[in-house]
Amino acid sequence: MNLDNIRIGLRLGLGFGAVLTLMCAIVFVAYSRLQLTGDGVADLFSRQQSATLALEWASTTQQNVTHTLAIARAAGMPEVEKFFGPQIMRTTAEISELQKKLVALISSDDGKALLASVAQRRTAYIATRDELLRLLGQADQPAADALMKAQLLPAAEAYLVAVGAVKDHELAQAEATRVALERGIGSAGALLLALLLASLAVGTLLSLFITRSVTRPLAEAVTAARVIADCDLSQPVHSERRDELGDLLRAVGQMQGSPSRLVAQVRGSTDSIGTASAEIAVGTLDLSTRTEQTASKKIATFKLGEAGAGHRAAAGAHADTPGPVAAAKPAAFAKALAARATRPAAVRPPAATPAAATARAAQARGHRRPSHCSPGGRGRRRGRRLGILLSAAPAASSRHSSTRPPHR
């Protein structure tokens, strides 16, 4: 299973679910083993109690047999029979109570069979004992002695052997229950330890896988963000993951693409502005050239008018002395003024073509010349010089008119 295609919430849910499942398994095993241990302890207690009751039954039966034999040996001594007779009846009643308890406690088939054998032999013993006490009551000592040796002692021995068999059986069952209980406790401990180790291993592996599946794409996102912060928009950011971190990386990629498109648009706008600036520079240079031509023409016209005014003043001054030389001076003076008026146009720089102006503007943009070296700066300087000349021309005309002698 590829964890990169699983959402983080589901991924964490699966991890915690696996750990919780193992914890529930540990609790279930511990609870079940605890129940089994409790049942084993109860069974062990019951077996031990049965063995104790069987041991008490055997000792009580031994007392009963001993009292019976004492009465049989003390023939003709009523004091002995009077002393041991009630004890025999009391022990017989106690044995009956012990037998009832053992029948209630022992549930196995073997135990029930042993109890049946004990009951049968007890019945035979009680019958032989009662017969012996009857013969003793009739003072038939030889018959009593014969009955005691032939039937009572073998019946008592068989009875005690049967009770001992019940006691040994219950002790063996108690020991087996104890061993099984110890084995169950040991196996439960081993199983719980195995489940604990499995929980630790699964939890560790899941934590490592989930941590790596979360931290690696986060590191990629941090790296992409730092690259974008360093103004490097050339590194593509893409992810094939289908979780939240994949969405984050794709969003970072989209964020990187938006500034790239914006930069491309700004670059296109800058190129357009550069082209427009070149065109404006060409227009400015053309306007500057035309302005220089217009200024030159105005200066020439102004100087020509000033020369004509001087000539008219000179002609008025020499009007009284006409001659061939005076007649020739106006023509020569007019020719000189015409040559002077046309001189600025001859020395002006040639008009710049649009191609040359574009090349000059591109060179100015490439070398990033200062604004005072640009064609616009040169045009502004020429315009300022033209304004100074135009403002100086009326002042000179007024000074000339003020110093010119009155017309006669």
Side-chain angles (χ1 to χ4, degrees):
M1 181 184 298
N2 190 4
L3 295 178
D4 296 341
N5 297 328
I6 301 177
R7 308 295 289 183
I8 294 179
L10 180 59
R11 198 181 309 167
L12 294 175
L14 290 176
F16 285 114
V19 174
L20 290 176
T21 301
L22 290 173
M23 291 180 61
C24 291
I26 292 174
V27 173
F28 174 76
V29 169
Y31 180 77
S32 62
R33 292 296 179 176
L34 185 62
Q35 290 290 333
L36 293 176
T37 303
D39 295 340
V41 170
D43 190 14
L44 177 61
F45 178 76
S46 176
R47 297 291 183 182
Q48 290 178 348
Q49 187 178 6
S50 299
T52 302
L53 291 176
L55 180 62
E56 186 178 356
W57 188 355
S59 62
T60 305
T61 302
Q62 185 68 41
Q63 290 179 5
N64 191 288
V65 172
T66 302
H67 294 163
T68 303
L69 293 176
I71 293 174
R73 294 294 182 182
M77 299 177 65
E79 294 82 3
V80 176
E81 183 179 357
K82 185 178 179 180
F83 179 78
F84 287 112
Q87 293 185 7
I88 292 173
M89 295 296 106
R90 188 179 67 252
T91 56
T92 301
E94 291 177 356
I95 290 172
S96 298
E97 293 296 328
L98 292 174
Q99 185 177 3
K100 291 179 181 180
K101 291 180 180 179
L102 282 173
V103 170
L105 289 175
I106 295 175
S107 60
S108 63
D109 295 336
D110 296 338
K112 289 181 179 180
L114 291 174
L115 283 176
S117 176
V118 170
Q120 183 180 358
R121 294 185 181 186
R122 183 189 179 210
T123 302
Y125 166 75
I126 292 174
T128 304
R129 185 195 64 185
D130 291 342
E131 180 66 18
L132 177 65
L133 292 177
R134 187 183 64 81
L135 292 175
L136 291 174
Q138 294 177 358
D140 191 358
Q141 187 64 34
D145 292 338
L147 181 63
M148 181 183 65
K149 293 179 181 179
Q151 296 182 11
L152 182 63
L153 292 178
E157 185 177 358
Y159 180 32
L160 291 174
V161 169
V163 174
V166 173
K167 179 193 69 174
D168 294 338
H169 177 268
E170 292 302 315
L171 288 175
Q173 292 294 321
E175 182 65 19
T177 302
R178 184 188 66 79
V179 173
L181 185 61
E182 290 180 354
R183 290 178 180 176
I185 293 174
S187 63
L191 183 58
L192 289 175
L193 181 61
L195 289 175
L196 178 60
L197 294 177
S199 301
L200 291 176
V202 171
T204 303
L205 291 177
L206 288 177
S207 63
L208 288 176
F209 288 153
I210 294 175
T211 302
R212 289 183 61 187
S213 65
V214 172
T215 55
R216 284 189 301 176
L218 284 178
E220 293 177 4
V222 171
T223 303
R226 289 177 178 174
V227 169
I228 295 173
D230 292 337
C231 300
D232 185 4
L233 303 178
S234 62
Q235 301 295 329
V237 179
H238 185 66
S239 177
E240 297 295 335
R241 302 170 62 94
R242 298 179 183 177
D243 56 353
E244 292 86 348
L245 298 174
D247 297 339
L248 175 61
L249 289 174
R250 285 188 288 272
V252 172
Q254 294 175 359
M255 182 183 67
Q256 183 190 29
S258 298
S260 299
R261 290 190 296 270
L262 180 61
V263 170
Q265 293 176 0
V266 171
R267 184 177 298 172
S269 301
T270 304
D271 294 338
S272 300
I273 292 172
T275 303
S277 299
E279 294 177 356
I280 292 172
V282 172
T284 303
L285 183 60
D286 186 42
L287 178 61
S288 175
T289 302
R290 293 181 181 180
T291 303
E292 289 180 0
Q293 292 177 357
T294 303
S296 299
K297 289 181 181 180
K298 288 184 177 182
I299 291 171
T301 303
F302 171 72
K303 290 183 178 181
L304 182 60
E306 185 179 7
H311 176 67
R312 286 192 298 270
H318 297 285
D320 296 335
T321 58
V325 177
K329 284 182 178 181
F333 190 69
K335 188 183 292 184
L337 289 177
R340 185 177 179 182
T342 58
R343 187 183 303 165
V347 297
R348 283 196 307 269
T353 61
T358 304
R360 186 180 301 174
Q363 182 179 5
R365 187 171 63 254
H367 292 286
R368 297 182 179 177
R369 297 181 304 177
S371 60
H372 67 274
C373 296
S374 63
R378 187 183 299 114
R380 287 192 294 270
R381 290 201 311 276
R382 291 177 180 176
R384 286 196 296 269
R385 288 201 301 268
L386 178 60
I388 293 171
L389 292 175
L390 292 177
S391 61
S397 176
S398 62
R399 287 196 305 271
H400 178 73
S401 61
S402 62
T403 57
R404 185 176 57 188
H407 181 70
R408 294 181 181 178

